[in-house]
Amino acid sequence: MQNKTFKIGFIGMGTVAQGVWKHLEKSFETMTARFGAKYELAKACVRYISKKRGVDIPLEKLTENPYDIINDPSIDIVCELMGGTTDAFDITISALKAGKVVVSANKAVICKRGAEIFETAQSNNGAYFFEASVAGGIPVIKVLREGLVANRFSKIYGILNGTCNYILTRMERENASYDSVIADARRLGYVEADESLDIDGWDAAHKISILAYLAHGVWIDPSKDMLVSGIRGIRLEDMVWAKEFDCRIKLIASVRKNEETGALFAAVYPAILPLTDVVANVNEVYNAVSLTGDVVGRTVHIGRGAGQDATASAVIADIADAIAYLQGKPARPASNVVAEKSRMATLEEVSDEFYLRMEVPDRSGVLASVASDLAGEGISVELLQQRKHETEGKAWLLFTTHKTTEAAIKRACEKLKKADYVFDEPFVLRIWKSE
Ligand code: NDP
Ligand code: HSE
């Protein structure tokens, strides 16, 4: 056991940071033994000191100025647990430049500015740990970088947003309304400060972008190079349809690589999964990450993907690594992959099977027109059903397709959106193939 006491400062003392504080305080003796060193919960920066918190922090340890922590030479480790991409970025860079080891759960800032953060850590002989940024309590970053170092990953996919999984599970089980369920998710501490990050798929996109970087060494910008859609458009009819076919709808984040062409395709969208896929059976706030490696084959990792304690577990693991690093253990490079040849796939190169739902007038000729628009794009229909609509004079048309390209579906949907025999844009789900 070293004599030095490692001092930890927190930027942000919300849901996650309070979990870390609570567990490190409660289990001091155990954690000291496991870390091989003593530690001190030295300071915490918040927006409002006067706010009531779930942990008791002495007033003299609280500040509203992050630089009270960054510029304190006695502080060794800075946990950035405030979120956001602007102040959080500046604070992270300043902390690394001040020689701190930084621990973060902030997937948004890593996805946006990870390259600069890792570069700053490296050029200052520092270290940046970010296990909690992907899949909450599942140590998937360690698994990918260390446990599965032998592998190239042709397919990574899974459920990476706890909030959406919680909402989909409750909607399906209880026929609950979206509004009642999101309120519970918020109360449980799952939801981002900006909840559209969760619901519209961006949070999962940030996470799959980080996994893609770790696996393939390239940064994928979700707003430019990823298909991203969230769970807002899903209706109970879709869930019922999926159930009839022994399937379930999940928000799936994925990155696939064609090893022959080097083409990478990354996406976040709701997809229909067969119940035979273990991922389809991962419910509530749980996340699942399926990693297919060329050496190991497929592995699937499941655990709570959001919430105070699950996330605190990952942050504390990083604090252990930060202390090990400060005791002389070298830090791992951010990505194992240095210069892998890859490029982003075009939508013409990516083929899947699709489910399309359309709201149409209940009159003759509509079906033929829709089918003709799909055929015009070379889309072959596998199954077609007309379902009763709650409004007189309207009907739901549900199609599934044989394998077709993303590009063809996009063109067909654009055409159908403009047609006077379809009320709204067709709603699209991918039919997920697990292998
Ligand atoms: P919260 O909103 O609960 O907490 C944010 C904290 O940061 C608050 O204490 C807030 O202060 C403080 N803060 C915000 N802006 C500033 C600022 N400009 N200066 C000083 N302090 C500031 O967020 P979470 O704990 O839920 O999330 C923190 C991070 O962890 C985010 O990056 C999030 O994406 C990530 N994360 C969250 C998970 C979860 O389940 N909640 C899971 C995995 C990752 P005050 O309390 O005074 O308002
Ligand atoms: N809001 C995120 C989620 C928190 O629901 O998954 C965990 O990253």
Side-chain angles (χ1 to χ4, degrees), residues 382-396:
E382 190 195 14
L383 207 107
L384 159 66
Q385 289 184 346
Q386 177 163 335
R387 297 241 164 149
K388 202 171 157 45
H389 197 287
E390 56 277 19
T391 310
E392 187 73 19
K394 287 185 175 181
W396 290 114

Side-chain angles (χ1 to χ4, degrees), residues 107 160-163 190 192 198 203 207 305-306:
K107 53 268 166 160
L160 293 183
N161 188 268
T163 300
Y190 302 158
E192 296 300 309
D198 292 302
D203 176 74
K207 293 166 177 168

Side-chain angles (χ1 to χ4, degrees), residues 156-417:
I156 299 176
Y157 77 95
I159 298 167
L160 293 183
N161 188 268
T163 300
C164 288
N165 209 29
Y166 178 80
I167 293 173
L168 290 178
T169 304
R170 295 234 0 234
M171 283 173 72
E172 190 193 334
R173 273 190 198 156
E174 304 161 30
N175 190 5
S177 77
Y178 172 88
D179 286 334
S180 65
V181 179
I182 183 104
D184 285 346
R186 216 177 282 123
R187 188 177 43 74
L188 290 162
Y190 302 158
V191 186
E192 296 300 309
D194 170 2
E195 76 185 35
S196 83
L197 288 174
D198 292 302
I199 306 306
D200 295 319
W202 296 106
D203 176 74
H206 296 151
K207 293 166 177 168
I208 198 71
S209 171
I210 294 171
L211 294 185
Y213 175 69
L214 299 180
H216 303 295
V218 288
W219 284 108
I220 302 176
D221 179 344
S223 61
K224 288 198 199 120
D225 293 322
M226 225 186 257
L227 288 186
V228 180
S229 56
I231 63 167
R232 283 188 208 267
I234 301 171
R235 294 176 58 99
L236 204 63
E237 285 89 338
D238 305 316
M239 291 180 161
V240 168
W241 185 93
K243 204 170 176 182
E244 284 169 17
F245 289 87
D246 291 329
C247 293
R248 185 171 281 141
I249 298 175
K250 294 291 180 191
L251 185 71
I252 294 295
S254 63
V255 57
R256 294 181 257 174
K257 180 160 186 193
N258 181 328
E259 287 294 346
E260 275 166 34
T261 62
L264 277 175
F265 177 66
V268 174
Y269 40 55
I272 298 172
L273 274 76
L275 289 175
T276 48
D277 183 342
V278 62
V279 176
N281 297 289
V282 173
N283 295 314
E284 296 167 13
V285 74
Y286 282 78
N287 281 192
V289 193
S290 171
L291 303 165
T292 303
D294 58 345
V295 181
V296 72
R298 186 180 180 209
T299 66
V300 183
H301 310 266
I302 296 170
R304 280 192 291 160
Q308 184 168 79
D309 291 336
T311 315
S313 168
V315 173
I316 292 170
D318 274 352
I319 291 174
D321 279 351
I323 289 175
Y325 170 78
L326 289 163
Q327 289 172 319
K329 185 181 170 206
R332 291 209 156 234
S335 170
N336 287 325
V337 185
V338 184
E340 196 179 80
K341 265 205 183 137
S342 46
R343 62 174 174 83
M344 296 316 295
T346 66
L347 294 187
E348 298 286 356
E349 287 176 289
V350 184
S351 295
D352 278 307
E353 291 169 19
F354 292 82
Y355 160 100
L356 303 172
R357 169 172 47 77
M358 283 165 243
E359 194 178 27
V360 297
D362 193 7
R363 60 174 153 79
S364 68
V366 168
L367 183 53
S369 304
V370 173
S372 150
D373 285 341
L374 294 176
E377 290 302 335
I379 298 169
S380 160
V381 172
E382 190 195 14
L383 207 107
L384 159 66
Q385 289 184 346
Q386 177 163 335
R387 297 241 164 149
K388 202 171 157 45
H389 197 287
E390 56 277 19
T391 310
E392 187 73 19
K394 287 185 175 181
W396 290 114
L397 288 185
L398 311 178
F399 293 87
T400 62
T401 74
H402 289 290
K403 234 176 181 197
T404 189
T405 65
E406 285 283 352
I409 287 290
K410 189 168 180 242
R411 283 193 299 268
C413 287
E414 273 159 15
K415 202 187 277 179
L416 289 163
K417 187 178 163 185

